[in-house]
Amino acid sequence: MANRIALIRDGRIIQTGSPKEIFSSPKNEFVARFLGYENIFEGKAAHQTDGLLEVDLGAAAIKVPLKAVDHAILAKKKGFRCVLGVQTDGIQLSDTPCPDSANCFHGVIEDYADLGSIIKASIRTDKGLVFHAIETTNAFIGNCRDRSKAIWVSFAPDSVRVLSIDGA
C-alpha cells in the first residue's frame, strides 16, 4: 500500500497525504464522498458552548468541536453555512438513551443490509435526519435489532468532520 496518495478531480489535485490522514480529515465533501462518507449534512453555525459549536440542521443540531473550525472564521462570520460529515463507523447504536453523548438522536431502523460480519443500517430520527451506521452482525442480532425498531443513535463531536464552510 502507498504511504502517500493524491485524490484528483477534473485534473486537479484535491488532497494529498497518507491514507490515514486523508481518511481521518477529508478536505471537502468530494473527498468525503469518495471515501464512503454517507452521513453528510448542511447546516448553519448557531452558538458556541463548552468548546463545541452547535450547527443547526433545521430540524435538529449537531455539535462539533470548536477546534475543527478556523478561529478567524468564528471571529468574522456569525451564522456561517457549513457541510458536516460523520463516518458510519463513528456512530453508536443503543436501545437506551445516551445521556453522556453531545450528539444523541432517537429514531427507528428503516432498513439494513447484512454484509456478512457487519450490518449496515439506516436510521431515521424523530427529527427527520437519516443516519447510516455499521455494527457487527453479532451485536446487531444480539440486540434483536430489526426494521421499525426504536433505537438511539449517538456519536462523539470529535467524529464529526467540517467538510466545507461557505465563503472560506
Side-chain angles (χ1 to χ4, degrees), residues 149-160:
K149 181 171 184 190
I151 197 158
W152 292 88
V153 174
S154 66
F155 50 92
D158 284 338
S159 64
V160 181

Side-chain angles (χ1 to χ4, degrees), residues 1 10 18 21-22 35 42 70 92 97 120 126 131 142 162:
M1 181 158 188
D10 298 328
S18 71
E21 289 168 345
I22 292 175
L35 295 172
E42 290 185 40
D70 185 326
Q92 303 295 314
K120 183 176 174 185
D126 297 345
F131 287 98
V162 177

Side-chain angles (χ1 to χ4, degrees), residues 128-139:
L129 297 176
V130 176
F131 287 98
H132 303 281
I134 292 175
E135 190 170 57
T136 66
T137 300
N138 288 344

